[in-house]
Amino acid sequence: MESLPPVGVSMEALLAALRAVAEPTRLRLLILCARGELTVSELAQILGQSQPRVSRHLKLLCEAGLVDRFREGSWVFYRASAGQAASALARHLVAACGESDATIALDLQRLAAIKRQRAEQAAAYFRDNAEQWDKIRSLYVDEREVEAALAEIVRAAAPRDLLDVGTGTGRMLEVLAPAVGHALGIDLSREMLAVARVNLERAGLENGIVRRGDMYQLPLPDGSFDAAVIHQVLHYADRPAAVLFEAARVLRPGGVLVLVDFAPHTLEFLRDEHAHRRLGFSNVEVDEWCVDAGLVPAPARHLPGDPLTVVIWTAWRPVAATAAAATGAAVREPAVTR
Ligand SMILES: C[S@@+](CC[C@H](N)C(=O)[O-])C[C@H]1O[C@@H](n2cnc3c(N)ncnc32)[C@H](O)[C@@H]1O
């Protein structure tokens, strides 16, 4: 059970939040928004209600500070509020509700089906594009510049070992493995891993391996790597904060997380034709997620391009790290799936 709302929430704000959530549809919406970033059409589909009706309820939840709304191009996402005082109340209510109620259980089943569908679409895209991925990537920005900047950051950190989350064709391993003792690439797609293995063999990399795994549940124990890299993966995630949290979990104290992705942009076709879910990320949101994951963000480095700007975010796990960010994370044995 979550802690009670912190001191500092005014009685007026608390009553407004309680009033907003004291309605069945809005309580259901709050519970769903606590489980990921969802669009109105996805929420309407789960609830079996019209989009205008769902939008009206969402508006009230947003006004009460329980849910955050953010627009990206033509899509609008909703998620349970992270920054506002009322979010403590939201977490408390969601935890109190559990999943035993029949209506909530059905909502969660439908949510799971939607997430499965999204994952299948992304997997199909990656399957179809595995071999051409390197070519597609080069359309966006000059990768050599990005790779050089990334290699410089990693070399300066002098990690013994490195984890590449969402390794794809293994390109980051090719670039970074020479700077470390041991490098592991994790990816969900068997097709991508097949391409990566071919590439690593061809490059003669003996200290770089790939394994199948999910970035939301890395098959690795806490504190097992000095460096983790997430290169051009986060914009596919429907729960980007969870991906960062999981990468942070496997970092040792003093370890570094390097995230490479796009600055906010408006290229909708990346979403329509290339399965991107997010059109870039702001420094503020990435820094917030890092702090929430127990990391200390460093200033981001921008590599402006036309039309896309690549950003390299770096964040460190403090040496005197508490296990706070990793609390509750189960230690899993590596799932070796060749
Ligand atoms: C655009 S590719 C980037 C690959 C690589 N990081 C690079 O920059 O060359 C994104 C990769 O993320 C992987 N991916 C997507 N969802 C994933 C998940 N849940 N867990 C692990 N990998 C995932 C995809 O299979 C794909 O290989």
Side-chain angles (χ1 to χ4, degrees):
M1 183 76 57
E2 299 281 326
S3 58
L4 284 166
V7 182
V9 181
S10 72
M11 197 168 87
E12 201 181 322
L14 196 54
L15 285 170
L18 286 167
R19 271 194 298 272
V21 85
E23 196 278 339
T25 298
R26 290 200 286 277
L27 184 59
R28 290 164 71 192
L29 283 170
L30 182 65
I31 288 167
L32 290 166
C33 289
R35 286 178 162 77
E37 298 173 344
L38 295 159
T39 64
V40 183
S41 79
E42 289 170 336
L43 287 164
Q45 200 180 326
I46 293 170
L47 264 54
Q49 297 183 13
S50 74
Q51 286 198 27
R53 193 178 141 86
V54 170
S55 294
R56 273 198 303 279
H57 284 302
L58 284 167
K59 186 165 180 281
L60 289 171
L61 288 171
C62 289
E63 283 168 1
L66 291 165
V67 165
D68 289 337
R69 171 189 197 275
F70 63 102
R71 174 178 284 281
E72 258 195 11
S74 60
W75 287 18
V76 176
F77 290 94
Y78 293 86
R79 62 181 169 206
S81 167
Q84 307 187 40
S87 67
L89 173 66
R91 288 198 300 275
H92 187 66
L93 289 172
V94 169
C97 229
E99 299 178 10
S100 52
D101 179 86
T103 307
I104 306 264
L106 187 57
D107 286 350
L108 294 179
Q109 267 175 33
R110 288 177 177 157
L111 173 65
I114 280 183
K115 287 190 171 181
R116 259 197 314 277
Q117 195 185 343
R118 276 189 203 158
E120 277 160 19
Q121 280 166 355
Y125 166 77
F126 291 124
R127 203 167 42 239
D128 296 345
N129 287 282
E131 283 182 26
Q132 300 97 338
W133 186 256
D134 282 336
K135 210 163 63 191
I136 292 174
R137 205 162 45 117
S138 71
L139 297 174
Y140 303 155
V141 282
D142 186 344
E143 271 298 322
R144 282 168 304 185
E145 208 185 321
V146 179
E147 289 174 0
L150 188 53
E152 189 186 308
I153 291 169
V154 169
R155 260 191 234 107
R160 284 162 291 176
D161 39 32
L162 175 140
L163 173 69
D164 182 26
V165 179
T167 196
T169 60
R171 177 64 193 159
M172 289 304 112
L173 296 178
E174 283 187 59
V175 173
L176 301 173
V180 302
H182 166 69
L184 169 67
I186 294 277
D187 205 285
L188 201 53
S189 157
R190 285 195 170 85
E191 287 79 4
M192 282 292 195
L193 292 173
V195 177
R197 287 191 178 98
V198 172
N199 287 344
L200 295 183
E201 258 171 47
R202 204 168 37 207
L205 273 186
E206 290 180 1
N207 66 336
I209 56 167
V210 291
R211 295 285 182 270
R212 188 155 185 266
D214 187 347
M215 62 188 176
Y216 292 105
Q217 280 188 301
L218 291 170
L220 300 163
D222 297 353
S224 46
F225 281 85
D226 285 339
V229 170
I230 309 176
H231 180 268
Q232 300 294 8
V233 177
L234 209 62
H235 51 244
Y236 296 105
D238 61 356
R239 287 179 292 132
V243 177
L244 290 191
F245 192 92
E246 187 61 352
R249 178 183 69 76
V250 302
L251 282 181
R252 294 189 190 99
V256 64
L257 172 74
V258 189
L259 168 68
V260 185
D261 217 292
F262 298 123
H265 64 84
T266 55
L267 300 187
E268 287 279 348
F269 81 93
L270 291 180
R271 197 176 255 159
D272 303 335
E273 297 169 26
H274 296 285
H276 288 205
R277 180 150 180 92
R278 293 291 310 271
L279 301 184
F281 299 95
S282 72
N283 289 346
V284 172
E285 70 182 333
V286 170
D287 284 358
E288 265 178 23
W289 291 334
C290 287
V291 170
D292 286 351
L295 303 179
V296 179
R301 180 159 172 191
H302 290 71
L303 302 173
D306 186 15
L308 294 171
T309 288
V310 168
V311 186
I312 306 183
W313 290 276
T314 309
W316 298 83
R317 175 168 285 294
V319 175
T322 64
T327 302
V331 174
R332 291 175 281 270
E333 289 303 312
V336 179
T337 316
R338 282 186 180 270

